[in-house]
């Protein structure tokens, strides 16, 4: 037998968001004055009470293995959070604690997909969905949403994408990269579709704590018992609690699916970091003041950022309702030239912006939209002001 490599692995793209973030970091290390709007992580420190809980765990010697699917006490804390915040009843047996949101999604796709099963992905979508599904033999079916619908999926678009091979739909609300949040009425229509066609809904709700000015986060699984049975709810502590590096994600699902994911995780990674799990209990059950502080700061940045973008000729955006991203349309700049080089897509726009103006944004071709870029406002207001000043100068040079 020849020494061939995995065909699945060879067809997996590296994360474009991570690549640009790393390039910006490298340029900064070289002494360049980089402003990076690329990273999808909070700029706040992890709240002190969470860190203290971790230190206490170390001091008490709580550093050994836990059950592969997570500490019982953490599952109970997650179950209580599901009940109080999401209005969902999941028993601890239905909850799997994982090594972050990506790991949770990997567990989900491994548990439900067979070779050739189709997964509907409303674009724009987070880059990991398609690649994670493909690794498990799934076939991503991309549905490009419309700007006039606030980049949100409609039932008509679902119907056009559905085939007899459709196994699941990935629904991300609040959404990365648009910041859009589905209303109860929109979710009810999608739930009716999923139930009538008997498919799974993978509900990625990791930005659930970050909704602004009266926008309500609603879990699709909370609507009725039929959609509850078909939904796998995915969340984690990275975004709402500024715990990206702690790597704690979790899922709520049927006992049957949870049992499968437990077996999968026991063979692949075993338990998530024990100290991080103990810190996660404090995050979910302790003082929530810092979560409110972060949300308030994001809201201020969000409004300022959208106002400034609307003032730049050639750029446009829809004001996000959640998460910490703005999805920026650059259609008016396509075909223009910069220093003799044509801008054919957002990737070109972003490359010139980084090279000459030292501002990093994420072009969204890998999110399903090659004429948009994502800008994160999980950076300080000072950086936002300076970064937008530079983007304005760059755009004026194109006009």
């Amino acid at each position: 037998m020849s020494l061939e490599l995995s065909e699945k692995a060879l067809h997996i793209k590296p994360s474009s968001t991570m690549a640009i973030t790393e390039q910006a970091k490298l340029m900064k290390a070289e002494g360049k004055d980089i402003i990076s709007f690329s990273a999808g992580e909070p700029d706040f420190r992890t709240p002190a009470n969470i860190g203290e809980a971790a230190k206490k765990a170390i001091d008490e010697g709580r550093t050994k293995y836990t059950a592969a699917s997570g500490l019982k006490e953490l599952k109970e804390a997650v179950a209580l959070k599901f009940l109080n915040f999401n209005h969902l009843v999941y028993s601890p047996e239905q909850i799997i604690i994982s090594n972050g949101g990506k790991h949770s999604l990997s567990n989900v796709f491994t548990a439900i997909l067979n070779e050739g099963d189709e997964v509907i992905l409303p674009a724009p979508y987070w880059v990991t969905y398609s690649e994670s599904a493909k690794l498990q033999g799934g076939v991503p079916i991309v549905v490009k949403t419309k700007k006039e619908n606030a980049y949100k999926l409609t039932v008509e678009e679902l119907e056009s994408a559905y085939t007899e091979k459709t196994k699941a739909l990935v629904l991300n609300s609040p959404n990365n990269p648009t910041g859009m949040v589905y209303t109860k009425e929109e979710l009810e229509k999608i739930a009716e579709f999923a139930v009538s066609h008997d498919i799974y809904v993978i509900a990625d709700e990791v930005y659930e704590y970050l909704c602004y000015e009266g926008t309500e986060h609603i879990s699709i699984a909370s609507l009725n018992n039929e959609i509850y049975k078909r939904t796998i709810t995915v969340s984690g502590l990275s975004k709402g609690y500024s715990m990206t590096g702690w790597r704690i994600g979790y899922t709520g699902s049927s006992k049957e699916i949870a049992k499968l994911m437990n077996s999968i995780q026991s063979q692949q990674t075993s338990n998530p970091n024990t100290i991080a799990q103990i810190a996660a209990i404090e995050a979910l059950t302790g003082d929530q003041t810092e979560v409110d502080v972060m949300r308030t700061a994001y809201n201020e940045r969000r409004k300022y950022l959208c106002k400034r973008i609307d003032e730049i000729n050639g750029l446009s955006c829809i004001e996000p309702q959640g998460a910490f991203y703005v999805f920026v349309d650059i259609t008016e700049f396509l075909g223009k030239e910069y220093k003799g080089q044509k801008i054919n897509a957002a990737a070109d726009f972003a490359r010139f912006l980084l090279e000459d103006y030292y501002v990093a944004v994420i072009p969204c071709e890998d999110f399903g939209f090659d004429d948009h870029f994502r800008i994160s406002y999980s950076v300080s207001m000072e950086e936002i002001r300076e970064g937008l000043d530079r983007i304005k100068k760059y755009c004026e040079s194109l006009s």
Side-chain angles (χ1 to χ4, degrees):
M1 180 179 287
S2 62
L3 300 178
E4 294 180 356
L5 299 176
S6 162
E7 287 294 328
K8 286 181 183 177
L10 288 169
H11 285 88
I12 297 302
K13 298 178 183 176
S15 169
S16 57
T17 58
M18 297 298 289
I20 291 168
T21 301
E22 287 305 311
Q23 183 182 354
K25 287 180 179 177
L26 193 62
M27 291 175 71
K28 194 166 189 172
E30 292 170 350
K32 295 181 173 66
D33 180 22
I34 301 295
I35 292 177
S36 180
F37 293 123
S38 59
E41 69 175 340
D43 59 313
F44 296 93
R45 289 175 64 95
T46 302
N49 60 311
I50 298 171
E52 289 302 321
K55 294 175 189 176
K56 184 179 178 185
I58 294 171
D59 290 341
E60 292 177 352
R62 300 183 67 186
T63 57
K64 305 299 183 182
Y65 292 134
T66 71
S69 59
L71 278 168
K72 178 175 179 289
E73 300 95 320
L74 178 52
K75 290 185 178 186
E76 290 170 345
V78 170
L80 187 62
K81 173 262 172 188
F82 269 133
L83 180 64
N84 293 334
F85 185 82
N86 305 89
H87 310 295
L88 289 169
V89 178
Y90 286 121
S91 67
E93 292 76 24
Q94 294 174 269
I95 293 166
I96 301 294
I97 312 298
S98 65
N99 297 280
K102 283 185 179 180
H103 187 202
S104 289
L105 287 165
S106 177
N107 281 343
V108 171
F109 288 130
T110 305
I112 69 170
L113 292 182
N114 291 306
E115 199 73 31
D117 284 346
E118 294 177 352
V119 180
I120 297 175
L121 301 180
Y125 55 83
W126 184 41
V127 294
T128 291
Y129 298 144
S130 60
E131 306 311 291
S132 186
K134 285 192 286 187
L135 274 172
Q136 307 310 326
V139 179
I141 303 298
V142 176
V143 178
K144 191 166 184 176
T145 60
K146 297 180 175 63
K147 187 176 183 179
E148 54 264 36
N149 294 329
Y151 307 105
K152 290 193 275 190
L153 183 69
T154 66
V155 170
E156 291 73 25
E157 289 165 340
L158 269 174
E159 289 285 2
S160 68
Y162 176 82
T163 75
E164 61 181 15
K165 293 182 179 180
T166 303
K167 176 63 76 69
L169 158 70
V170 177
L171 191 69
N172 178 209
S173 178
N175 180 268
N176 173 13
T178 69
M180 294 298 111
V181 179
Y182 283 83
T183 66
K184 184 178 181 182
E185 291 72 26
E186 290 164 341
L187 291 173
E188 285 173 339
K189 292 176 182 178
I190 292 170
E192 184 179 349
F193 173 90
V195 170
S196 65
H197 291 78
D198 201 24
I199 64 172
Y200 289 111
V201 174
I202 302 166
D204 182 353
E205 303 183 359
V206 74
Y207 294 96
E208 59 194 344
Y209 290 124
L210 302 177
C211 291
Y212 309 109
E213 297 190 349
T215 300
E216 181 184 6
H217 170 74
I218 297 171
S219 294
I220 191 170
S222 70
L223 296 178
N224 59 63
N225 190 52
E226 289 304 310
I227 191 61
Y228 170 86
K229 291 188 292 188
R230 292 167 173 81
T231 300
I232 302 145
T233 306
V234 181
S235 193
L237 281 74
S238 58
K239 313 302 183 180
Y241 291 96
S242 194
M243 293 178 68
T244 48
W246 298 76
R247 310 312 301 138
I248 295 292
Y250 56 82
T251 54
S253 64
S254 69
K255 288 183 180 179
E256 179 184 21
I257 292 175
K259 185 177 180 181
L260 282 178
M261 292 194 288
N262 182 18
S263 297
I264 292 161
Q265 187 161 299
S266 71
Q267 296 292 356
Q268 291 186 335
T269 66
S270 201
N271 66 275
N273 181 283
T274 301
I275 299 160
Q277 288 191 69
I278 294 166
I281 296 170
E282 173 61 25
L284 291 170
T285 63
D287 186 7
Q288 303 294 301
T289 303
E290 289 302 310
V291 177
D292 295 333
V293 169
M294 287 187 276
R295 183 167 49 243
T296 299
Y298 290 138
N299 188 36
E300 181 186 357
R301 298 171 187 178
R302 174 185 72 100
K303 291 187 289 187
Y304 176 80
L305 186 53
C306 290
K307 179 177 178 293
R308 288 290 308 274
I309 288 173
D310 283 342
E311 292 170 353
I312 298 174
N313 289 332
L315 299 183
S316 65
C317 68
I318 298 175
E319 186 175 276
Q321 302 160 312
F324 42 61
Y325 308 109
V326 178
F327 194 51
V328 183
D329 186 343
I330 66 147
T331 305
E332 291 188 31
F333 287 117
L334 298 181
K336 292 185 180 293
E337 289 191 353
Y338 179 75
K339 293 185 175 180
Q341 298 182 77
K342 187 173 284 189
I343 296 176
N344 296 309
D348 300 319
F349 181 98
R351 177 163 55 87
F352 301 142
L353 178 63
L354 179 57
E355 288 176 354
D356 285 0
Y357 288 82
Y358 299 159
V359 176
V361 298
I362 299 291
C364 288
E365 179 180 358
D366 289 348
F367 292 73
F369 273 74
D370 65 0
D371 53 6
H372 284 61
F373 68 82
R374 188 191 79 177
I375 187 167
S376 169
Y377 48 92
S378 60
V379 295
S380 70
M381 188 63 87
E382 291 74 23
E383 289 176 290
I384 290 173
R385 290 192 184 97
E386 173 62 23
L388 285 169
D389 286 345
R390 297 182 193 181
I391 291 173
K392 186 174 186 240
K393 288 178 184 176
Y394 171 54
C395 290
E396 285 172 349
S397 76
L398 297 173
S399 300

